[in-house]
Amino acid sequence: MTGYYRSDTKTGGTIDARKVTHNEALYLFGVRLDSLIDEVKPDLLLVEDYSYSANTRSTTTLGEIRGVFAYVAVGKGIEFVTVPVQTWKARTIGK
């Protein structure tokens, strides 16, 4: 499961991919990101920096998701900036 946050509406959502294969989940993430970009038409996207874990599978999955994010953003001509995890949390959920 992965999530997204829209600063313009202060809303967000999740993409629940627990019932599909790993590759299908990456595809669904890309499709949803593509449609959000078409809907919102942002000038800039922010992506949370990696949160490293002892679990190498989690770290690998984060890298794959980031790759899909970069592919879609660059393909749409949208610049994106990496934001440190703690900054992201403070700005979006107040922690």
Side-chain angles (χ1 to χ4, degrees), residues 1 7 14 16 19-20 22 34-35 38-39 42 50 55-56 58 61 68-69 72-73 78 82 92-95:
M1 183 168 323
S7 63
T14 58
D16 186 355
K19 296 178 181 160
V20 296
H22 177 73
D34 189 69
S35 70
D38 287 345
E39 177 185 332
Y50 294 110
N55 182 338
T56 56
S58 294
T61 299
V68 172
F69 186 95
V72 173
I78 307 292
T82 301
T92 59
I93 58 175
K95 290 185 179 182

Short mmCIF file of all heavy atoms in Angstrom, two decimals, residues 1 7 14 16 19-20 22 34-35 38-39 42 50 55-56 58 61 68-69 72-73 78 82 92-95:
data_model
loop_
_atom_site.label_atom_id
_atom_site.label_comp_id
_atom_site.label_asym_id
_atom_site.label_seq_id
_atom_site.Cartn_x
_atom_site.Cartn_y
_atom_site.Cartn_z
N MET A 1 0.85 -1.16 0.00
CA MET A 1 0.00 0.00 0.00
C MET A 1 0.90 1.23 0.00
O MET A 1 1.89 1.29 0.71
CB MET A 1 -0.90 -0.01 1.23
CG MET A 1 -1.85 1.13 1.22
SD MET A 1 -3.21 1.12 2.40
CE MET A 1 -3.74 -0.51 2.53
N SER A 7 -1.58 18.91 -1.83
CA SER A 7 -1.51 20.12 -1.02
C SER A 7 -2.56 21.14 -1.41
O SER A 7 -2.96 21.96 -0.59
CB SER A 7 -0.11 20.75 -1.11
OG SER A 7 0.16 21.15 -2.43
N THR A 14 -4.84 6.42 -0.70
CA THR A 14 -3.91 5.30 -0.77
C THR A 14 -4.21 4.48 -2.01
O THR A 14 -5.31 4.54 -2.57
CB THR A 14 -4.01 4.38 0.46
OG1 THR A 14 -5.35 3.90 0.57
CG2 THR A 14 -3.61 5.11 1.73
N ASP A 16 -4.22 0.71 -2.72
CA ASP A 16 -4.16 -0.60 -2.07
C ASP A 16 -3.89 -1.66 -3.12
O ASP A 16 -4.74 -1.94 -3.96
CB ASP A 16 -5.47 -0.88 -1.35
CG ASP A 16 -5.41 -2.15 -0.53
OD1 ASP A 16 -4.40 -2.88 -0.59
OD2 ASP A 16 -6.38 -2.43 0.19
N LYS A 19 -4.04 -7.00 -3.33
CA LYS A 19 -4.73 -8.10 -4.00
C LYS A 19 -4.23 -8.33 -5.42
O LYS A 19 -4.85 -9.05 -6.18
CB LYS A 19 -6.23 -7.82 -4.02
CG LYS A 19 -6.81 -7.79 -2.62
CD LYS A 19 -8.28 -7.47 -2.62
CE LYS A 19 -8.76 -7.43 -1.17
NZ LYS A 19 -9.97 -6.72 -0.99
N VAL A 20 -3.12 -7.69 -5.77
CA VAL A 20 -2.55 -7.87 -7.11
C VAL A 20 -1.07 -8.22 -6.97
O VAL A 20 -0.50 -8.11 -5.88
CB VAL A 20 -2.72 -6.58 -7.97
CG1 VAL A 20 -4.19 -6.28 -8.22
CG2 VAL A 20 -2.03 -5.40 -7.33
N HIS A 22 3.03 -7.82 -7.46
CA HIS A 22 3.93 -6.70 -7.24
C HIS A 22 4.04 -5.83 -8.49
O HIS A 22 3.94 -4.61 -8.43
CB HIS A 22 5.31 -7.22 -6.82
CG HIS A 22 6.33 -6.15 -6.63
ND1 HIS A 22 6.31 -5.29 -5.55
CD2 HIS A 22 7.37 -5.80 -7.40
CE1 HIS A 22 7.32 -4.45 -5.67
NE2 HIS A 22 7.99 -4.73 -6.78
N ASP A 34 -0.34 9.22 -13.07
CA ASP A 34 -0.59 9.84 -14.38
C ASP A 34 -1.93 10.58 -14.38
O ASP A 34 -2.02 11.72 -14.84
CB ASP A 34 -0.55 8.76 -15.46
CG ASP A 34 -0.59 9.33 -16.86
OD1 ASP A 34 0.40 9.96 -17.27
OD2 ASP A 34 -1.62 9.14 -17.54
N SER A 35 -2.97 9.95 -13.86
CA SER A 35 -4.29 10.59 -13.86
C SER A 35 -4.34 11.78 -12.90
O SER A 35 -4.98 12.78 -13.19
CB SER A 35 -5.40 9.58 -13.55
OG SER A 35 -5.35 9.15 -12.22
N ASP A 38 -2.75 14.69 -14.67
CA ASP A 38 -3.67 15.23 -15.67
C ASP A 38 -4.77 16.06 -15.01
O ASP A 38 -5.19 17.10 -15.53
CB ASP A 38 -4.30 14.12 -16.49
CG ASP A 38 -3.33 13.50 -17.48
OD1 ASP A 38 -2.27 14.10 -17.75
OD2 ASP A 38 -3.64 12.41 -18.00
N GLU A 39 -5.24 15.61 -13.85
CA GLU A 39 -6.32 16.29 -13.13
C GLU A 39 -5.85 17.60 -12.50
O GLU A 39 -6.50 18.64 -12.63
CB GLU A 39 -6.87 15.36 -12.04
CG GLU A 39 -7.94 15.94 -11.17
CD GLU A 39 -8.33 15.00 -10.05
OE1 GLU A 39 -8.21 13.76 -10.20
OE2 GLU A 39 -8.76 15.50 -9.00
N PRO A 42 0.01 20.06 -12.04
CA PRO A 42 0.98 20.74 -11.17
C PRO A 42 2.20 21.25 -11.95
O PRO A 42 2.51 20.74 -13.03
CB PRO A 42 1.40 19.64 -10.20
CG PRO A 42 1.30 18.39 -11.03
CD PRO A 42 0.08 18.61 -11.90
N TYR A 50 13.80 8.51 0.68
CA TYR A 50 13.81 7.14 1.17
C TYR A 50 13.86 7.11 2.70
O TYR A 50 14.54 7.90 3.32
CB TYR A 50 15.02 6.38 0.63
CG TYR A 50 14.98 6.17 -0.85
CD1 TYR A 50 15.86 6.86 -1.69
CD2 TYR A 50 14.10 5.27 -1.42
CE1 TYR A 50 15.83 6.66 -3.06
CE2 TYR A 50 14.06 5.07 -2.79
CZ TYR A 50 14.93 5.77 -3.60
OH TYR A 50 14.90 5.58 -4.95
N ASN A 55 14.95 -3.96 6.44
CA ASN A 55 14.24 -4.85 5.53
C ASN A 55 14.59 -4.47 4.09
O ASN A 55 14.09 -3.47 3.57
CB ASN A 55 12.73 -4.73 5.78
CG ASN A 55 11.92 -5.66 4.91
OD1 ASN A 55 12.37 -6.10 3.85
ND2 ASN A 55 10.71 -5.92 5.34
N THR A 56 15.44 -5.24 3.47
CA THR A 56 15.89 -4.90 2.12
C THR A 56 14.75 -4.95 1.11
O THR A 56 14.77 -4.21 0.12
CB THR A 56 17.03 -5.82 1.65
OG1 THR A 56 16.60 -7.18 1.73
CG2 THR A 56 18.28 -5.62 2.48
N SER A 58 11.68 -3.90 1.58
CA SER A 58 11.01 -2.60 1.66
C SER A 58 11.81 -1.54 0.93
O SER A 58 11.26 -0.70 0.20
CB SER A 58 10.81 -2.17 3.11
OG SER A 58 9.91 -3.03 3.76
N THR A 61 11.47 -2.05 -2.81
CA THR A 61 10.14 -1.63 -3.26
C THR A 61 10.05 -0.11 -3.35
O THR A 61 9.51 0.43 -4.31
CB THR A 61 9.04 -2.19 -2.34
OG1 THR A 61 9.11 -3.62 -2.37
CG2 THR A 61 7.67 -1.74 -2.77
N VAL A 68 9.05 4.47 -10.87
CA VAL A 68 7.78 4.70 -11.57
C VAL A 68 7.41 6.17 -11.47
O VAL A 68 7.00 6.80 -12.45
CB VAL A 68 6.65 3.81 -10.99
CG1 VAL A 68 5.30 4.19 -11.57
CG2 VAL A 68 6.95 2.33 -11.25
N PHE A 69 7.58 6.75 -10.28
CA PHE A 69 7.28 8.18 -10.06
C PHE A 69 8.11 9.04 -11.02
O PHE A 69 7.58 9.91 -11.71
CB PHE A 69 7.60 8.54 -8.61
CG PHE A 69 7.20 9.93 -8.22
CD1 PHE A 69 5.97 10.16 -7.62
CD2 PHE A 69 8.04 11.00 -8.45
CE1 PHE A 69 5.58 11.44 -7.25
CE2 PHE A 69 7.67 12.29 -8.09
CZ PHE A 69 6.44 12.50 -7.49
N VAL A 72 6.95 8.63 -14.77
CA VAL A 72 5.71 9.34 -15.09
C VAL A 72 5.94 10.85 -15.07
O VAL A 72 5.54 11.57 -15.99
CB VAL A 72 4.56 8.94 -14.13
CG1 VAL A 72 3.33 9.81 -14.35
CG2 VAL A 72 4.22 7.47 -14.31
N ALA A 73 6.60 11.36 -14.02
CA ALA A 73 6.81 12.81 -13.89
C ALA A 73 7.64 13.35 -15.05
O ALA A 73 7.26 14.34 -15.69
CB ALA A 73 7.49 13.13 -12.56
N ILE A 78 7.16 17.24 -15.85
CA ILE A 78 6.96 17.85 -14.53
C ILE A 78 8.22 17.66 -13.70
O ILE A 78 8.70 16.54 -13.52
CB ILE A 78 5.77 17.23 -13.77
CG1 ILE A 78 4.50 17.24 -14.62
CG2 ILE A 78 5.55 17.90 -12.44
CD1 ILE A 78 3.93 18.59 -14.90
N THR A 82 12.91 15.96 -4.14
CA THR A 82 12.89 15.02 -3.01
C THR A 82 12.86 15.80 -1.70
O THR A 82 13.63 16.75 -1.51
CB THR A 82 14.13 14.12 -3.05
OG1 THR A 82 14.13 13.41 -4.30
CG2 THR A 82 14.13 13.12 -1.92
N THR A 92 2.75 17.50 6.32
CA THR A 92 1.51 16.85 5.90
C THR A 92 0.65 16.34 7.04
O THR A 92 -0.56 16.45 6.99
CB THR A 92 1.78 15.68 4.93
OG1 THR A 92 2.62 14.73 5.57
CG2 THR A 92 2.42 16.18 3.65
N ILE A 93 1.29 15.81 8.08
CA ILE A 93 0.49 15.24 9.17
C ILE A 93 0.83 15.85 10.53
O ILE A 93 0.32 15.43 11.55
CB ILE A 93 0.59 13.70 9.24
CG1 ILE A 93 2.03 13.24 9.42
CG2 ILE A 93 -0.04 13.08 7.99
CD1 ILE A 93 2.17 11.73 9.61
N GLY A 94 1.73 16.83 10.53
CA GLY A 94 2.03 17.55 11.77
C GLY A 94 2.87 16.79 12.77
O GLY A 94 2.83 17.09 13.96
N LYS A 95 3.62 15.80 12.33
CA LYS A 95 4.46 15.01 13.26
C LYS A 95 5.91 15.29 13.00
O LYS A 95 6.37 15.45 11.94
CB LYS A 95 4.18 13.53 13.12
CG LYS A 95 2.83 13.13 13.63
CD LYS A 95 2.67 11.63 13.56
CE LYS A 95 1.31 11.22 14.09
NZ LYS A 95 1.11 9.81 14.10
#
